[in-house]
Amino acid sequence: MGKILDKKDLKCFFEKLQKIGEVVAPVKNENISFKPVKKFSEVCFEGRSMFPIKKYFLPTKEAIAEIKNDAFVEKNDFKKRIIFGARLCDLNGLLVLDKLFLDPLYPDKIYAIRRENTILIGFACKEPLSDFCFCESMDLKDYYDLLITENNEKYYVSIGSKKGANLVTEYKDYDINLKKPVCKKKLKNKNIHDFFDEKFWEKDALKCVSCQRCTLLCPTCLCFDVADEMNIDLKLGTRNRSLDSCHSKDFTLVAGGHVFRDTKLKRYRHRVFHKIQYFKDKFEIPMCVGCGRCMEFCHSKIDFVDTINNLKK
Amino acid sequence: MNLKKYKILSTSKETADDVFLRIETDINPQPGQFVQVSIPGIGEAPISTASCDENFLDLNIRVVGNVTKAIGNLKKNDYIHLRGPYGRGYPLVDFKGKNIVLIGGGCGVAPLRGVIKYLEKHRKDYDEITMFFGFRTPQDVLFKDEVAVWMKKYNFNMSVDKSPEDNPFFCPVGFVTQILDQTKIETKNTEVLLCGPPIMMDKCVEILKKKKFKDSQLWVSLERHMKCGVGKCGHCMAHGFYVCKDGPVFRYDEVKDITDE
Ligand code: SF4
Ligand code: SF4
Ligand code: FES
């Protein structure tokens, strides 16, 4: 269960968070986007951000090491951060990223330190935030430190971790069941192994213009490239990691010139299979969290959920 | 990033396209595993390892891109940045008591050299050792001095696609598939390790199946674009496998249905 706060409490709570670290929250301008926020009044409590919160753990482009005198010096980021107002889909997106970046065999240091230093506070959705949301089909987990549900000017705070519990000790307990959103859009089939044949994906692939917005905006798309960038004197530089996309033609290019996924169809199908099938086969949860961004913002309005729902042998 | 700096003990030019590096390192890979080699300012490349269980590491580098070109320019006593070893190698421990057949093409012979080094160390644990190696020309043959020794010690078969100049090994001219096809091989209690260009491996698998080998006796090493080497960046994915982490060595029946990806 959890704690109950009124509007005044929530504002105080938000101000208390400011003393712990940098608070980032959704802000509404042209789009909704996560930004460092100082004033409670700036926080936008509606809608979902266009860009997911992955940017605070896996920036679009960043230096992971400095190159100095022919050697590498690893970079790090120890900033204390509170993400205030992430939606459950995005929080589950972090669960997906954690599976890979916190893999005990090869943990990713920068990512692990950022995760360690971040407090995750979510806003529950009372209803779907867009027509493309289908999170209800994706069995989302309670993956957060705290999750705030608004109901008649009261804020019900569910506790997801000890880190979260410690932040709200002074508030009163509640003991009611909170409603979860019901999505109109549904993904009806999450086992698509039998539909690998090209004919099932032709129509969608024909529309794709390889703009890569789907992968950029997806909360769980993490594929990256690594490249060195040097100053003009070739003495100082950085090794950079930047988000890459399986929709890019060179993504599977090997030395010697061969490209494994050499058509749009193969690339599009790979993304869908990775999101719905491959990841789940390995990690038991699908890679897709049902946020709907890849369809809503697709240049060609390709709707892979529709496509899957209509798959017939 | 886990990169560490190591000293190069020696370098040599194996062929017109290959350089051989011996590196002083505590990295001790299993045959079939790979390391990530970095050149500051140029980038990183996955290189399969060619030695086994020594206090040095041997790498054979086919110069095809910018990073490998830069590696090729390194000299004795220079330093090189490595991380690894990564991936799943050939499970040689499981093959104890068996016959081993090695089939390699071009620079695919390099990882098999690591296998040979291992088998030599544990010779009494294994039965017959048979090799089929193919190169473009006699000049492209890797590890020429060692090949001369292997010829004497093992059931050694080698072919070259063509021989425009002299042929010091007096080996047949033709594809490795031809010598494989023509040679009788015991299938019972045998494991076959393949490494080479995809077409060569496909053709060899076909022949081996004609010889009544089961898919589960064949071990192939897959090539993919690798960036991170540790199952994250997504570049090496092939039908749900991370080739860098789940492979690069796979039992053939695990991956035989992977077509275009
Ligand atoms: S695949 Fe699409 S719907 Fe699923 S999490 Fe990514 S952007 Fe959201
Ligand atoms: S957003 Fe749509 S058009 Fe753009 S690459 Fe993705 S599927 Fe293709
Ligand atoms: S090389 Fe990055 S996932 Fe395999």
Side-chain angles (χ1 to χ4, degrees):
Chain A
M1 302 285 80
K3 301 284 184 176
I4 184 162
L5 281 69
D6 62 21
K7 190 131 200 175
K8 214 170 73 240
D9 292 334
L10 189 67
K11 186 162 179 271
C12 285
F13 176 65
F14 177 86
E15 276 151 15
K16 201 172 80 183
L17 296 176
Q18 295 286 345
K19 299 198 186 90
I20 301 174
E22 178 188 72
V23 179
V24 299
V27 174
K28 189 164 184 171
N29 294 109
E30 226 171 288
N31 299 305
I32 301 170
S33 61
F34 276 86
K35 288 198 172 96
V37 171
K38 287 253 158 22
K39 283 204 275 203
F40 184 64
S41 57
E42 285 177 83
V43 180
C44 166
F45 284 88
E46 280 123 47
R48 74 150 144 51
S49 63
M50 182 166 176
F51 209 90
I53 56 172
K54 69 175 174 186
K55 65 179 176 184
Y56 289 103
F57 304 92
L58 187 66
T60 311
K61 181 176 178 184
E62 74 170 324
I64 52 172
E66 270 173 62
I67 301 172
K68 240 188 239 165
N69 308 324
D70 252 8
F72 297 94
V73 185
E74 272 182 47
K75 300 254 287 185
N76 251 316
D77 173 8
F78 292 98
K79 196 165 194 162
K80 289 252 182 262
R81 242 188 224 114
I82 300 97
I83 294 191
F84 185 79
R87 300 294 173 179
L88 199 59
C89 54
D90 276 12
L91 293 161
N92 274 262
L94 279 185
L95 173 61
V96 168
L97 299 188
D98 286 357
K99 294 266 181 218
L100 292 178
F101 286 104
L102 303 182
D103 160 18
L105 196 56
Y106 303 116
D108 188 83
K109 243 195 326 332
I110 296 195
Y111 182 93
I113 291 169
R114 285 187 177 130
R115 278 295 277 116
E116 180 70 38
N117 285 315
T118 306
I119 298 171
L120 298 172
I121 302 176
F123 290 168
C125 303
K126 281 196 285 189
E127 42 200 74
L129 303 178
S130 114
D131 292 343
F132 293 90
C133 294
F134 62 102
C135 60
E136 205 195 344
S137 309
M138 302 317 286
D139 310 318
L140 299 192
K141 308 276 182 288
D142 291 326
Y143 203 63
Y144 44 72
D145 294 308
L146 296 171
L147 183 77
I148 303 172
T149 310
E150 193 261 351
N151 201 357
N152 291 328
E153 300 270 301
K154 292 271 183 253
Y155 297 88
Y156 296 85
V157 182
S158 344
I159 294 167
S161 74
K162 218 160 156 208
K163 207 153 123 189
N166 289 339
L167 292 171
V168 289
T169 44
E170 71 254 48
Y171 302 106
K172 271 207 304 264
D173 294 323
Y174 74 80
D175 195 6
I176 54 162
N177 280 322
L178 297 164
K179 270 203 298 201
K180 297 216 163 147
V182 177
C183 303
K184 242 198 262 143
K185 197 174 181 70
K186 305 230 179 316
L187 177 64
K188 292 183 191 137
N189 181 4
K190 282 182 274 178
N191 198 350
I192 54 175
H193 270 309
D194 291 345
F195 300 99
F196 193 72
D197 200 278
E198 303 219 336
K199 68 174 186 235
F200 299 113
W201 310 100
E202 262 160 6
K203 234 170 84 200
D204 284 350
L206 222 53
K207 290 193 241 166
C208 175
V209 294
S210 301
C211 68
Q212 302 173 17
R213 289 176 89 186
C214 49
T215 49
L216 183 69
L217 298 179
C218 174
T220 68
C221 272
L222 63 111
C223 288
F224 58 81
D225 194 21
V226 178
D228 292 358
E229 232 170 73
M230 298 301 282
N231 292 351
I232 192 85
D233 62 4
L234 296 183
K235 288 205 175 90
L236 294 178
T238 49
R239 173 157 288 183
N240 302 322
R241 169 155 85 185
S242 50
L243 288 183
D244 203 343
S245 172
C246 59
H247 271 276
S248 115
K249 171 128 204 267
D250 288 349
F251 193 74
T252 54
L253 167 76
V254 285
H258 183 69
V259 173
F260 283 89
R261 285 190 284 280
D262 57 348
T263 64
K264 265 183 206 171
L265 189 146
K266 290 177 190 172
R267 297 193 282 272
Y268 170 72
R269 177 179 59 185
H270 174 75
R271 175 167 66 86
V272 174
F273 267 77
H274 195 194
K275 292 289 153 189
I276 301 301
Q277 192 74 60
Y278 299 152
F279 194 88
K280 184 181 67 186
D281 292 347
K282 259 191 167 15
F283 300 102
E284 277 151 24
I285 52 167
M287 197 179 200
C288 172
V289 294
C291 76
R293 288 181 179 95
C294 63
M295 295 168 282
E296 184 169 347
F297 300 110
C298 170
H299 173 92
S300 308
K301 292 277 174 288
I302 298 171
D303 188 326
F304 82 94
V305 171
D306 246 11
T307 304
I308 292 179
N309 288 344
N310 291 314
L311 285 174
K312 257 195 258 29
K313 270 266 162 190
Chain B
M1 282 204 320
N2 302 317
L3 278 170
K4 278 213 229 151
K5 213 165 152 180
Y6 299 99
K7 194 156 117 190
I8 297 177
L9 297 172
S10 67
T11 69
S12 58
K13 212 161 162 47
E14 276 293 310
T15 71
D17 300 329
D18 297 86
V19 286
F20 182 87
L21 299 188
R22 176 157 292 178
I23 301 158
E24 185 177 51
T25 167
D26 48 3
I27 294 179
N28 194 5
Q30 298 293 308
Q33 286 191 301
F34 65 97
V35 291
Q36 289 280 5
V37 182
S38 265
I39 303 289
I42 312 293
E44 200 171 41
I47 307 287
S48 53
T49 60
S51 57
C52 179
D53 255 350
E54 307 281 356
N55 44 14
F56 53 77
L57 177 72
D58 290 339
L59 301 178
N60 179 74
I61 290 133
R62 170 66 50 97
V63 177
V64 275
N66 295 331
V67 179
T68 46
K69 198 167 283 175
I71 298 171
N73 292 337
L74 293 171
K75 302 270 168 331
K76 183 178 167 174
N77 293 331
D78 282 348
Y79 283 86
I80 190 164
H81 299 263
L82 300 185
R83 56 189 181 98
Y86 295 129
R88 184 170 69 157
Y90 297 100
L92 293 167
V93 182
D94 301 344
F95 301 162
K96 273 189 188 166
K98 295 191 173 186
N99 303 310
I100 306 289
V101 176
L102 305 178
I103 303 176
C107 53
V109 172
L112 296 181
R113 177 182 182 264
V115 174
I116 298 171
K117 296 281 166 195
Y118 180 95
L119 295 176
E120 280 175 345
K121 277 214 164 79
H122 305 268
R123 186 64 194 92
K124 59 177 189 333
D125 289 344
Y126 299 89
D127 209 343
E128 290 275 304
I129 297 174
T130 309
M131 299 170 197
F132 296 90
F133 292 158
F135 295 96
R136 259 175 312 184
T137 71
Q139 289 64 48
D140 291 311
V141 173
L142 291 173
F143 320 121
K144 294 187 182 70
D145 296 343
E146 286 164 304
V147 160
V149 178
W150 298 338
M151 275 179 158
K152 294 197 195 101
K153 273 171 73 178
Y154 306 104
N155 306 323
F156 187 87
N157 308 277
M158 185 168 82
S159 68
V160 290
D161 302 349
K162 51 185 194 272
S163 181
E165 293 161 50
D166 54 340
N167 185 351
F169 299 102
F170 304 103
C171 56
V173 176
F175 291 129
V176 70
T177 43
Q178 285 164 353
I179 49 171
L180 181 65
D181 203 13
Q182 287 153 11
T183 313
K184 202 174 152 7
I185 319 172
E186 175 60 57
T187 55
K188 233 180 88 196
N189 208 27
T190 303
E191 302 286 338
V192 186
L193 286 50
L194 300 106
C195 192
I199 326 168
M200 181 215 95
M201 289 205 289
D202 286 350
K203 289 263 153 63
C204 290
V205 165
E206 234 172 78
I207 295 167
L208 291 162
K209 291 177 77 162
K210 250 184 15 211
K211 291 185 187 291
K212 299 276 178 275
F213 275 97
K214 289 202 263 341
D215 290 347
S216 56
Q217 290 175 280
L218 313 180
W219 300 81
V220 293
S221 180
L222 297 192
E223 188 202 9
R224 283 296 183 281
H225 181 148
M226 287 189 198
K227 251 310 102 77
C228 71
V230 291
K232 299 186 184 5
C233 76
H235 282 274
C236 70
M237 274 189 89
H239 210 105
F241 284 116
Y242 289 99
V243 172
C244 67
K245 204 174 164 212
D246 304 327
V249 173
F250 291 93
R251 205 172 70 185
Y252 182 66
D253 53 338
E254 295 177 304
V255 291
K256 65 176 179 182
D257 294 328
I258 295 179
T259 49
D260 49 302
E261 346 191 34

